[in-house]
Amino acid sequence: MVNENQPSSIYVISAHPNWRDSRANRQLHTTATTTAGVSVCDLYETYPDYAIEVQAEQAKLEAAQLVVLMHPIQWYSMPALLKLWVDEVLSYGWAYGRGASALKGKDLWLVASTGGAESPYHLQGYNRYFFDAFLPPYEQTAALCGMRFLPPMVLHGAHSAPAALVAEHVSTFRERLQTYPHWPELDDLADCVACEVPEQDRPAGEH
């Protein structure tokens, strides 16, 4: 397993409340921890008390070029501890806002799974929207921090997907980690649009 305390060009935040019982995320987690050049934070194991070490996390982000959010979709969003991580680690004055440039020019990649199939993510399905409709919070988080939001890698129907399909998904994930940043589609991916936050939009004294 890659030492979490060593700088790496890829930092994976693995956020599954119980990934050991997961068909897909367990294999993705194992793949990430055994791939050279990748540092992995098992978020729920590292911070079981939800007391996130902000400076330590920021140091890992500064050392990385690619930041990977890897998690199951829960209630159309990210797990609770990952949301807290975003709230505390991506702080004003460091990740975004006046003078903040710690993450500028880096890449953010979402690797997610859904328990249900892809077909209900449709205007006529019980989820009522295509899956892409739930991505703007991730995209805007990247934009606010000056990061590029890479095309997400999503496995639908993780609870019931054939073992061969899960294995193929995991294999693609490994190949992506091993070949970053030499992904053909990145050549045509535009740089992130700058999102400046006026100081008057922040509470006085907040940094």
Side-chain angles (χ1 to χ4, degrees):
M1 179 173 179
V2 176
N3 190 329
E4 294 181 359
N5 296 318
Q6 293 179 349
S8 173
S9 62
I10 300 177
Y11 186 38
V12 176
I13 300 95
S14 178
H16 195 299
N18 192 14
W19 61 260
R20 291 171 180 82
D21 290 336
S22 164
R23 295 182 68 234
N25 280 272
R26 180 179 71 252
Q27 297 183 55
L28 293 171
H29 181 90
T30 299
T31 295
T33 59
T34 55
T35 300
V38 178
S39 179
V40 181
C41 176
D42 181 347
L43 207 59
Y44 279 87
E45 182 175 278
T46 305
Y47 304 115
D49 55 0
Y50 281 53
I52 296 171
E53 296 180 9
V54 172
Q55 290 185 339
E57 292 299 316
Q58 289 179 344
K60 293 174 183 177
L61 291 175
E62 288 178 337
Q65 179 59 33
L66 173 63
V67 179
V68 183
L69 302 182
M70 187 171 73
H71 66 85
I73 297 295
Q74 296 186 334
W75 279 104
Y76 310 105
S77 184
M78 60 183 65
L81 183 53
L82 181 55
K83 179 58 169 65
L84 180 65
W85 183 93
V86 170
D87 290 344
E88 296 191 354
V89 176
L90 305 186
S91 58
Y92 178 77
W94 182 82
Y96 71 101
R98 183 178 181 182
S101 60
L103 301 178
K104 188 174 182 180
K106 299 180 185 292
D107 291 327
L108 182 66
W109 188 32
L110 172 64
V111 177
S113 61
T114 65
E118 182 177 11
S119 55
Y121 286 96
H122 192 277
L123 299 179
Q124 281 74 48
Y126 60 77
N127 287 321
R128 301 181 57 240
Y129 298 93
F130 294 109
F131 185 79
D132 286 356
F134 301 101
L135 294 178
Y138 296 91
E139 295 172 344
Q140 182 56 22
T141 295
L144 200 63
C145 296
M147 305 175 76
R148 289 193 306 179
F149 184 68
L150 306 188
M153 181 178 180
V154 182
L155 175 66
H156 291 287
H159 292 165
S160 57
L165 180 61
V166 175
E168 181 181 356
H169 183 79
V170 173
S171 178
T172 300
F173 177 61
R174 179 185 296 107
E175 185 269 338
R176 288 275 156 164
L177 292 178
Q178 292 174 336
T179 59
Y180 174 85
H182 305 295
W183 300 355
E185 65 270 29
L186 297 191
D187 293 338
D188 299 324
L189 193 63
D191 292 336
C192 180
V193 177
C195 296
E196 299 296 335
V197 181
E199 289 191 49
Q200 62 266 26
D201 286 357
R202 306 300 303 178
E206 182 177 340
H207 298 287

